[in-house]
Each structure stands twice: as C-alpha cells, then as structure tokens.
Amino acid sequence: MKDLAMHPIDDADPQTLQRLFEQQAPTALALRSSTARERVAKLKRLRDGLLRRREAWYTAFAADLRKPPLEVDLTELLPVLDEARHAAAHLARWMRPQRVWPTLTTLGTHAKVLYQPRGRCLIIGPWNYPVNTLLGPLVSAIAAGNTVILKPSEFTPHVNALVAELVAELFDPAEVTVVQGGAATAQQLLVLPFDHVFFTGSPAVGKIVMGAAAQHLTSVTLELGGKSPVIVDETADLQRAAELILWGKFTNAGQTCVAPDHVFVQRSVKDRFTRLCQELIAARYGVTDAAVEASPDLARMITRRHTERLGALIDDALSRGATLLAGGRHDAAARYVAPTLLADVPADARIGAEEIFGPVLPIEAFDSIDDVIRRINTQPKPLALYLFSHHRPTQAAVTTQTSSGGICLNHCVQQYAHGGLPFGGVNHSGIGSAHGVFGFKAFSHERACLASGRLMVLSLFYPPYTPRKNRLSAALVRALRWV
Ligand SMILES: NC(=O)c1ccc[n+]([C@@H]2O[C@H](COP(=O)([O-])OP(=O)(O)OC[C@H]3O[C@@H](n4cnc5c(N)ncnc54)[C@H](O)[C@@H]3O)[C@@H](O)[C@H]2O)c1
C-alpha cells in the first residue's frame, strides 16, 4: 500500500468547494419529497459497501492507527452498521408527521410536527474513529433526506481514501461527497451557508466551528470531548469495574472521546483496585515491558506529535511526584505509549488539566463522595461520567448533583452504542445529540404545521373589543390560572 501519510492531501481550493456546494442545491430540493423506502435503500447500500470492504478497512486502520482488527469491527464498523439497521427499521415511523392535541387557546385547530430535511449539510470528523464519527452521522443525514459534504480529519489518510472510494461508488457527488484536507479546508467549507453543520472534534475547534456557523445562523451539532471522570466506591464490584475501566481506557490506545479520563477510588479499596488493574494489564497485554510493546492488541498513537504530547504529560506528572504503578514507557518514533497507571498525581500536574486522550489512567483516592461531587462540579461538564457503586443513595446523589453528556452506572463507554439513547455532550462537551431518532432529528427541521378546523375560537376575539369580548378573554385568563 502506498504510504499516504507521506503524501499529505492538499487543501481543496475555495472555487472547487463552492462548486460542490452549489451542485448539491437541486438535489437537496428534490430530496425533500424522498420517501422512507428510497432512504432505506440508500442505507442498505451503505451497509453493503461497508461490509464488502471489511479486509480493506483492517489494512487501512493498521496503516493509520495500527488498530487491531477486532477493535475495527467493534468500534468502527459495528456502530455504523447498527446505526443503519436501527434507522432502516424505524425510519418510516420517525418520518411520519406527529399529530399534536390542541391547547386551550388553540381549540378547534389541527396541528402536527413535520420532519423536513435540513437541506445541505456539512459533516466534519476527527481522526480517532474516522469511520464511526463520519459515517454514523451520515446515516442520520441520509435518513433525514439531506445532501452531505463529508470532511474527514487529515490524520487518517488510508481510512479516508477508502471512505472516499465508498462514497464515490454509492452516491452522486451532487448528493454526498468527500472533501479532503486539513483545518484550512474545514474553514473554507465553513464560509459556505450550509443548512446544518455536524462537527465532531475538540472543544477548541468546536468554538471555531460555532463561530463560523453563526455568520449564517447555521444550526450546529457539536460532538466534543472532555475529561470524563470515573468514581469507584467500596460497594462496587471491583473486578468488574477494573475490567470495564481498563477496556474503555486502552481500546484504541485511549484515543476515545468517552474513555474514562481519570479515576476517583474510595481510599478503603484503592490498593485492591490498583492491584486488579495491574494484574489485568499483565493478563491482557503482557508481563514485561517488551511483551506489552509487542502486543498486537494495542493500537498506536495517531502521530509522533500526539505521542510526544502524552509522553510529556506522563513525565511532567512523574517529575512533580506522581507514583508510577504500571507502564510509563513512551516512544515517539514508534508512536507507542505503554498502558500506564499513575497515582498521587499532584494538583498542579498538567495531566489534571487536559483531556488525556491516550492510554494513561491517573488514580486518586477519596474519602468523601461529597468532595468528589464538588470537584467534578468545579470542572467543565464532561461528555461522560462513570459511577461504580451499588449504594443507591450514592447513585442518586451523583446522578442528580452532577451534569455530563451521559452517565453510566456500573458500566463504561457502552452508553455510546445504545441506539435508543441520545449521544452528545453538554456545554463544553457538546451541543445537540446524535444516534437513532436523536440523530434523525439533528438533521431534520421540526416544522410546525397548523390548520384551521370548523370551530374558530379566535374569531370570538376580533375587534372591536366589546365589553362582552373583554369579559370572555378575562374568563379565559382566569381559567388558565386554575387548569
Ligand atoms: N463527542 C464525540 O462523539 C467525539 C468523538 C470522537 C472525538 N471527539 C473529540 O475529538 C477530539 C480529537 O479529535 P481531533 O484531534 O481530530 O479534533 P480536532 O478538533 O483537532 O479536529 C477535528 C476536525 O476539525 C478540523 N479542524 C482542525 N482545526 C481546525 C480549525 N482551526 N478550523 C476548522 N477546522 C479545524 C480537522 O481537520 C478535523 O477534521 C477529542 O477532543 C475528542 O474527545 C469527540
């Protein structure tokens, strides 16, 4: 395979982008009247195209992230296939106009909510799950009847080449097309008056995207990141907690938006929990440093620069007095960071302030759950919060007194996979939701449609405003106070 990483893709020129955008206008109009059957047929073609390339995905992911094939299946292909299956099964119902009952002041009218395509949409993706985060939203956009320009991250050239080939095979560019390039291309695209922008990436770039979209008052869905905390108390099943947390942390080498960022563990069980984590790393990846590095089951960091950033975070924490419980090795040239456990990380270490986004897990002991809740509430609202506890009052306190995009009780990361749940952040971790009907709605305009009925209550209040009409309106106001 040609080393695409050595041949970075040039940013697309503004005239080409403008042409692609304009080319999609007539299709966007035509798609307004597309049927559920037509959209489902497209989703099935997308599913088949994805599956036909199964081996090619493995090769491309090996080149970009050295990602194990099982992780490609589990975290890239399955989520998109499931999203497509779910949408295909429910689309006819989602598209149906929703009748709504009249309220007191609208008695006599007939009302419904229409789900109309937003129109021309832009989907910008990150590098960490380049199929899942691009084609997952594409499923929702197609289900809702839109045209789409997809802009993948510049850091996954091998996967992007396959995505572009797949899209070119299945769609006319006037309906769906892929534009490759980096930040400059994304910014050129954002100059165009899209009807909706769906962005997945960092909070810093999310702000740029939202600022650009504001110029056209374009609606946005922002799927961002953050430091998702984990709490483990002494009532938890520690073995299960350690198994799930480490799976969430080390899959894709920790480069996962909903990965557990750091752990608060109750002091009484801290030693047992850390011992279980150490044993699990040895059992899953190898006992010696060399065995772990040789493990085929650990993905690599995306670039040398990202590896250096993470290595610097580990070294900074250790130089300030953190304790190394496992791993710690990093090699920028090999884009390798060992699965690492840290304890006693001082408050001023940089790792406490940035989204870690790599296979490094700081573990901190706590004495009072109220303190942990207070700590979490001083930070920006995270994308996910994980609580391992069988103590009902603790579950209730953490659920009601904190905020995050999603929360898992005695589980980890799988909230992402549930098509019946909204997936998204809150404030700093994102705006809007993806997946299932929530993704369909993100790419739809909920249009209010009201029709008059035979009874016309409003006609009782036309001018001139006689004393009788004033009495009637006063009676209505009084009635609304009590109903
Ligand atoms: N919430 C989610 O579903 C989700 C999923 C995956 C990743 N993430 C988050 O994404 C981040 C990692 O991905 P990343 O490093 O690719 O994110 P990023 O924000 O750097 O890049 C995302 C996309 O934005 C483009 N971009 C970069 N700089 C830009 C700029 N100045 N102007 C316009 N566009 C620009 C990139 O080319 C890329 O396509 C993490 O914060 C992670 O938590 C979130």
Side-chain angles (χ1 to χ4, degrees):
M1 176 178 274
K2 186 172 133 198
D3 187 356
L4 294 174
M6 301 304 290
H7 301 88
I9 292 150
D10 292 335
D11 280 303
D13 68 277
Q15 290 77 22
T16 307
L17 300 180
Q18 175 86 33
R19 189 177 46 73
L20 286 172
F21 179 69
E22 280 168 9
Q23 201 184 357
Q24 294 197 333
T27 316
L29 216 55
L31 284 176
R32 282 201 188 153
S33 42
S34 58
T35 63
R37 185 190 286 261
E38 287 162 350
R39 298 180 194 178
V40 167
K42 289 176 197 169
L43 296 180
K44 290 187 171 161
R45 288 209 322 266
L46 181 62
R47 172 198 65 194
D48 295 343
L50 257 181
L51 285 172
R52 259 200 312 280
R53 289 169 173 77
R54 192 131 169 240
E55 292 299 324
W57 293 122
Y58 295 158
T59 313
F61 273 101
D64 286 336
L65 279 154
R66 218 204 71 167
K67 188 158 165 147
L70 186 140
E71 288 188 13
V72 175
D73 277 350
L74 209 62
T75 67
E76 296 281 4
L77 305 185
L78 271 174
V80 180
L81 294 170
D82 207 23
E83 185 80 60
R85 187 203 56 77
H86 187 67
H90 299 287
L91 186 58
R93 185 167 51 82
W94 295 347
M95 284 173 68
R96 218 172 284 149
Q98 300 286 310
R99 287 207 164 282
V100 286
W101 288 97
T103 54
L104 191 62
T105 52
T106 54
L107 275 176
T109 62
H110 301 291
K112 57 191 170 186
V113 182
L114 306 176
Y115 293 95
Q116 291 201 315
R118 285 195 184 272
R120 286 179 285 178
C121 298
L122 171 63
I123 298 177
I124 301 179
W127 50 261
N128 63 329
Y129 288 97
V131 164
N132 181 344
T133 56
L134 215 60
L135 300 188
L138 178 65
V139 166
S140 302
I142 293 171
N146 297 279
T147 65
V148 181
I149 292 182
L150 295 158
K151 208 301 275 173
S153 163
E154 62 276 29
F155 292 124
T156 51
H158 297 88
V159 173
N160 295 353
L162 260 189
V163 169
E165 177 197 292
L166 170 73
V167 167
E169 177 189 292
L170 300 181
F171 297 97
D172 187 311
E175 183 172 358
V176 183
T177 192
V178 176
V179 166
Q180 306 220 34
T185 297
Q187 285 175 0
Q188 287 297 342
L189 282 164
L190 287 165
V191 168
L192 301 168
F194 280 95
D195 296 301
H196 189 69
V197 175
F198 188 107
F199 170 80
T200 306
S202 59
V205 178
K207 290 177 192 173
I208 295 173
V209 170
M210 195 165 174
Q215 301 311 306
H216 300 292
L217 296 178
T218 291
S219 54
V220 290
T221 304
L222 302 177
E223 296 284 347
L224 311 177
K227 289 181 79 63
S228 300
V230 187
I231 305 168
V232 181
D233 80 4
E234 60 191 10
T235 68
D237 176 339
L238 292 185
Q239 175 73 30
R240 174 180 277 214
E243 284 172 6
L244 281 164
I245 294 166
L246 292 202
W247 175 76
K249 187 67 178 184
F250 298 139
T251 297
N252 208 37
Q255 300 165 115
T256 303
C257 55
V258 284
D261 187 88
H262 51 286
V263 177
F264 296 102
V265 58
Q266 198 157 5
R267 197 174 300 281
S268 53
V269 292
K270 181 188 169 220
D271 289 345
R272 228 168 78 221
F273 176 74
T274 49
R275 208 171 37 252
L276 283 169
C277 289
Q278 288 165 321
E279 287 167 9
L280 275 170
I281 290 176
R284 288 181 180 178
Y285 304 110
V287 176
T288 62
D289 283 347
V292 175
E293 188 159 359
S295 166
D297 299 332
L298 263 178
R300 290 299 182 257
M301 303 300 292
I302 185 70
T303 66
R304 186 184 180 116
R305 181 169 62 78
H306 290 80
T307 319
E308 284 166 353
R309 181 194 76 91
L310 198 58
L313 289 187
I314 297 173
D315 295 345
D316 171 72
L318 292 175
S319 72
R320 290 172 195 270
T323 308
L324 187 65
L325 298 172
R329 275 171 45 75
H330 47 91
D331 176 350
R335 296 189 284 134
Y336 172 70
V337 177
T340 297
L341 302 176
L342 296 173
D344 315 314
V345 176
D348 59 351
R350 278 172 45 210
I351 204 162
E354 297 176 26
E355 180 180 6
I356 296 175
F357 222 55
V360 182
L361 187 67
I363 299 173
E364 178 178 336
F366 76 84
D367 297 303
S368 143
I369 191 69
D370 293 334
D371 284 346
V372 174
I373 290 173
R374 254 192 301 278
R375 283 270 298 279
I376 290 171
N377 285 339
T378 62
Q379 300 299 313
K381 294 170 192 163
L383 186 56
L385 192 154
Y386 303 113
L387 172 66
F388 289 86
S389 169
H390 289 290
H391 187 237
R392 287 285 167 90
T394 300
Q395 293 183 353
V398 172
T399 306
T400 54
Q401 292 172 32
T402 65
S403 177
S404 62
I407 180 165
C408 277
L409 306 179
N410 300 307
H411 215 315
C412 194
V413 174
Q414 266 216 314
Q415 79 279 17
Y416 180 87
H418 198 307
L421 287 175
F423 178 76
V426 48
N427 297 141
H428 198 260
S429 52
I431 294 177
S433 299
H435 295 181
V437 72
F438 306 98
F440 170 79
K441 286 186 179 177
F443 284 100
S444 300
H445 168 55
E446 292 178 83
R447 189 178 194 186
C449 177
L450 183 135
S452 67
R454 222 175 288 162
L455 180 68
M456 182 66 95
V457 176
L458 190 63
S459 63
L460 301 175
F461 298 98
Y462 293 155
Y465 299 133
T466 60
R468 198 172 143 264
K469 290 176 187 173
N470 273 303
R471 277 198 302 280
L472 195 61
S473 86
L476 200 60
V477 170
R478 270 199 308 278
L480 275 174
R481 209 171 45 204
W482 296 115
V483 178

